[in-house]
């Protein structure tokens, strides 16, 4: 299928960006034969931003020679087919190239920095769940007709950048929320606090862990921006970089609104929805779809339809996260239950429950919510009381209904956006899965105690923010 092209593309392909190296000697060198007494080292990343595409099973897809046909044994279409078989693995391969380069440069700068901070950023990113955002990016590009060699390589690198951006968002989010678990493991600031326990008084090591987490998130964001800047994007460059820039600012704006609402005790439903839209819905679904459409050179109508679909599904995605925070299974969410309640997050779920309790003059329900929201010492029994109120006021069922309606509306936008294809079917399945529940019991009229937190080191799907 031919790409869905814009009628008047205005972006001009930039010159490839030369990659900085750890060495101060930038002169070209001939490739040396590998000595038998030294282990094989992976190839350095291509300075033009072309990825060595490998699936999780190690199968190498042909890379582009810059002319639209694949180098080596296959064409760009064949490379795209290879990635189709294992998108998460191929993105992981591109990410490994990026991380190997960045870690080498960090090590040349300072060994302690490389081991203690850069290494933790790399490990956190490598352990990044299902890579949902980069899969949305990939299948959006494929659904819009993209698939030549340069587009495949560039899309995988932008997928790697999305994973690094996710690392920044999660590390900072965990720090601001004071969360102890992420993906079933200690959060980065908690891990560093434990690593240096005994080196100084507890309050100083805690502060060190928090400050280091700020730096870790900043480092992940810097690496993500580097990847985008250094990738040869061709005609898509101007659009991709504009979407990327908007996405970063939206995330910060949404997080600020979330923190401001938490501080002021805001229970405004419109403000809760606005914060959720900016903080999570856009960068989790809508922007990855827009980036994929831009990579394929999709026309304005197609891009607008995909963005409308992503906006609706993204909001449903975040509302599902609000429900899963209270009713979810930590073994599936990868984090403990009730953090939003204990932190006093201005979620739509909490705002709706309070509004319903006030409208019916349900004083016991209002008392439970007012005492629980923002109570960092809330017990499991207290959280059970909140669950009961959320069910009894009908807030849980109302949010479930809103999720269903948003998801259905999003899929209607999506179904009219693209011609039928395997890529469209895969993308539709991802959008449908984004709003699925990870509760211990999906029946809204049933309240069950939260299960115990997952054991340290257990695997968990990628969690939502």
């Amino acid at each position: 299928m031919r790409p869905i092209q814009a009628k008047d593309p205005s972006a001009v392909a930039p010159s490839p960006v030369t990659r900085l190296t750890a060495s101060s000697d930038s002169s070209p060198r001939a490739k040396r034969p590998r000595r038998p007494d030294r282990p094989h080292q992976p190839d350095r990343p291509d300075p033009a931003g072309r990825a060595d595409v490998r699936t999780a099973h190690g199968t190498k897809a042909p890379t582009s020679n810059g002319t639209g046909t694949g180098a080596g044994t296959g064409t760009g279409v064949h490379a795209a087919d290879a990635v189709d078989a294992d998108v998460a693995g191929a993105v992981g391969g591109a990410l490994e190239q990026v991380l190997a380069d960045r870690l080498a440069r960090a090590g040349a700068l300072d060994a302690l920095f490389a081991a203690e901070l850069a290494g933790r950023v790399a490990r956190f990113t490598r352990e990044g769940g299902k890579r949902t955002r980069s899969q949305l990016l990939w299948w959006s590009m494929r659904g819009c007709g993209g698939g030549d060699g340069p587009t495949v390589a560039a899309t995988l690198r932008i997928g790697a950048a999305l994973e690094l951006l996710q690392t920044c968002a999660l590390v900072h989010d965990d720090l601001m929320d004071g969360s102890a678990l992420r993906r079933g493991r200690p959060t980065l600031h908690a891990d560093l606090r434990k690593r240096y326990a005994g080196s100084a008084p507890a309050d100083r090591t805690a502060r060190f862990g928090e400050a280091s987490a700020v730096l870790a998130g900043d480092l992940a964001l810097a690496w993500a921006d580097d990847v985008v800047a250094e990738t040869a994007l061709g005609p898509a460059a101007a659009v991709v970089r504009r979407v990327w820039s908007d996405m970063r600012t939206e995330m910060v704006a949404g997080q600020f609104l979330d923190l401001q609402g938490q501080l002021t005790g805001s229970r405004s439903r419109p403000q809760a929805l606005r914060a959720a839209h900016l903080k999570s819905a856009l960068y989790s679904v809508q922007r990855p779809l827009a980036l994929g459409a831009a990579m394929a050179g999709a026309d304005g109508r197609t891009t607008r339809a995909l963005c409308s679909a992503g906006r609706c599904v993204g909001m449903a995605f975040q509302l599902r996260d609000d429900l899963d925070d209270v009713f979810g299974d930590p073994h599936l969410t990868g984090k403990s239950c009730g953090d939003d309640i204990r932190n006093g997050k201005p979620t739509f779920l909490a705002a709706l429950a309070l509004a319903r309790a006030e409208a019916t003059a349900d004083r016991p329900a209002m008392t439970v919510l007012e005492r629980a929201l923002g109570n960092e010492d809330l017990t499991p029994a207290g959280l059970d009381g909140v669950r009961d109120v959320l069910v009894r006021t009908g807030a849980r069922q109302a949010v479930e209904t809103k999720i269903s309606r948003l998801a259905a509306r999003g899929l209607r936008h999506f179904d009219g956006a693209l011609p039928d294809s395997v890529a469209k079917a895969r993308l539709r399945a991802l959008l449908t899965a984004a709003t699925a529940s990870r509760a211990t019991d999906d029946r809204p009229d049933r309240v069950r105690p939260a299960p115990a937190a997952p054991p340290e080191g257990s695997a968990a799907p990628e969690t939502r923010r």
Side-chain angles (χ1 to χ4, degrees), residues 10 22 34 115 121 144 266 363 414:
S10 58
R34 179 167 61 91
V121 171
C144 289
S266 171
R363 290 302 308 172
F414 174 78

Side-chain angles (χ1 to χ4, degrees), residues 54 83 86-96 131 134-135 138 155-156 159-160 163:
R54 292 181 185 270
V83 176
D86 185 6
V87 178
V91 171
L95 185 61
E96 282 299 326
R131 311 213 183 280
S134 48
Q135 289 197 63
W138 175 262
T155 301
L156 291 176
E163 297 302 324

Side-chain angles (χ1 to χ4, degrees), residues 143 194 311:
K194 180 179 178 181
R311 183 166 54 252

Side-chain angles (χ1 to χ4, degrees), residues 14-35:
S15 300
V17 180
T18 303
R19 298 290 296 277
L20 299 175
T21 62
S23 170
S24 60
D25 181 6
S26 59
S27 58
R29 303 187 182 193
K31 188 172 183 180
R32 298 176 181 176
R34 179 167 61 91
R35 286 173 50 180

Side-chain angles (χ1 to χ4, degrees), residues 66-81:
T67 63
T69 59
T73 60
T75 67
V77 172
H78 292 155
D81 290 343

Side-chain angles (χ1 to χ4, degrees), residues 14-304:
S15 300
V17 180
T18 303
R19 298 290 296 277
L20 299 175
T21 62
S23 170
S24 60
D25 181 6
S26 59
S27 58
R29 303 187 182 193
K31 188 172 183 180
R32 298 176 181 176
R34 179 167 61 91
R35 286 173 50 180
D37 59 331
R38 293 185 179 179
H40 173 69
Q41 298 294 326
D43 294 337
R44 294 179 177 227
D46 191 304
R50 295 185 290 265
D52 176 6
V53 181
R54 292 181 185 270
T55 70
H57 305 293
T59 304
K60 183 174 180 179
T63 55
S64 166
N65 62 13
T67 63
T69 59
T73 60
T75 67
V77 172
H78 292 155
D81 290 343
V83 176
D84 286 349
D86 185 6
V87 178
V91 171
L95 185 61
E96 282 299 326
Q97 286 194 319
V98 169
L99 293 176
D101 173 55
R102 299 295 150 173
L103 287 174
R105 295 171 65 179
L109 184 65
D110 184 86
L112 182 62
F113 163 70
E116 294 289 87
L117 194 72
R120 277 181 166 79
V121 171
R123 283 194 297 275
F124 189 100
T125 309
R126 286 185 177 117
E127 295 166 357
K130 295 181 177 180
R131 311 213 183 280
T132 304
R133 292 163 185 81
S134 48
Q135 289 197 63
L136 289 169
L137 161 73
W138 175 262
W139 290 114
S140 176
M141 180 275 290
R142 292 291 278 148
C144 289
D148 60 87
T151 299
V152 167
T155 301
L156 291 176
R157 283 180 58 83
I158 299 301
L162 277 175
E163 297 302 324
L164 285 163
L165 185 67
Q166 171 77 340
T167 291
C168 166
L170 295 181
V171 169
H172 282 171
D173 197 54
D174 289 340
L175 175 61
M176 286 182 274
D177 290 348
S179 300
L181 286 177
R182 171 66 68 178
R183 297 170 181 156
R185 299 176 176 85
T187 51
L188 193 141
H189 65 275
D191 182 45
L192 278 166
R193 182 179 64 234
K194 180 179 178 181
R195 163 75 175 84
Y196 283 90
S199 300
D203 60 336
R204 290 186 59 193
T205 56
R207 179 60 182 155
F208 168 78
E210 293 165 356
S212 297
V214 172
L215 296 177
D218 289 348
L219 184 62
L221 178 59
W223 287 355
D225 282 346
D226 287 347
V227 173
V228 175
E230 296 168 5
T231 298
L233 296 169
V239 178
V240 168
R241 287 176 179 140
R242 184 174 68 247
V243 173
W244 183 265
S245 176
D246 289 345
M247 178 171 57
R248 292 179 309 166
T249 305
E250 290 157 358
M251 287 172 56
V252 174
Q255 190 66 57
F256 172 77
L257 291 179
D258 190 59
L259 290 172
Q260 193 270 351
Q262 190 173 328
L263 176 69
T264 60
S266 171
R267 298 295 175 251
S268 165
R269 283 169 285 174
Q271 184 174 335
L273 290 174
R274 180 64 177 163
H277 174 68
L278 290 170
K279 183 181 85 166
S280 183
L282 279 167
Y283 108 98
S284 293
V285 184
Q286 182 175 338
R287 293 310 187 191
L289 294 178
L291 287 168
M295 294 301 303
D299 59 32
R301 184 197 66 80
T302 301
T303 300
R304 285 190 296 273

Side-chain angles (χ1 to χ4, degrees), residues 92 117 121 125 129 140 156 161 211 222 249 256 323 329 331 334 345 361 398 422 424 441 448:
L117 194 72
V121 171
T125 309
S140 176
L156 291 176
T249 305
F256 172 77
L323 282 174
D329 182 344
H331 290 87
K345 290 268 186 179
V422 172
K424 179 181 180 180
D441 187 336
R448 294 174 61 183

